[in-house]
Amino acid sequence: MKDKLKILENLLKNHDWFHQYSDDFGVYESGQEEWYKINATMKALENDGFGKEADELYKKYLPEALKYEEDND
C-alpha cells in the first residue's frame, strides 16, 4: 500500500493544478489525464482503507489558491 501512497504523492506533487486555464489544448488534455489518475489512485486507496492518508496527501499538495475555508458554524 505504501507504493500506492508514493504514486499518489508523486502525481500530486507534479500535477499542473491550473491546467484548465491553459490556452494550449495539449496542456489542458495532459492535466486532465493526470487528474483522472489522481482520482483513480485516491479511490483505490480509499477502497483499501487508506482514504484518510490519501486525503492528507491531497490537502498537502493542493495549492493555497484552490483551498476554501470550511464554515464551522
Side-chain angles (χ1 to χ4, degrees):
M1 205 47 54
K2 290 189 184 231
D3 288 341
K4 281 187 186 175
L5 286 169
K6 272 292 203 201
I7 290 169
L8 177 61
E9 184 168 23
N10 194 38
L11 287 169
L12 292 167
K13 190 185 310 184
N14 295 305
H15 181 57
D16 178 0
W17 291 91
F18 300 97
H19 69 276
Q20 68 271 25
Y21 298 111
S22 178
D23 291 335
D24 183 336
F25 184 72
V27 171
Y28 172 82
E29 195 170 43
S30 176
Q32 283 298 109
E33 288 176 20
E34 290 173 359
W35 185 243
Y36 294 135
K37 288 178 188 175
I38 289 168
N39 282 320
T41 306
M42 289 187 70
K43 186 68 168 173
L45 284 162
E46 182 181 343
N47 290 341
D48 291 338
F50 290 89
K52 182 179 177 183
E53 292 85 346
D55 287 343
E56 288 172 1
L57 281 174
Y58 179 83
K59 289 175 186 175
K60 176 180 177 182
Y61 289 100
L62 182 66
E64 244 352 273
L66 298 177
K67 292 181 181 177
Y68 65 92
E69 291 189 33
E70 296 179 6
D71 189 2
N72 294 326
D73 293 315

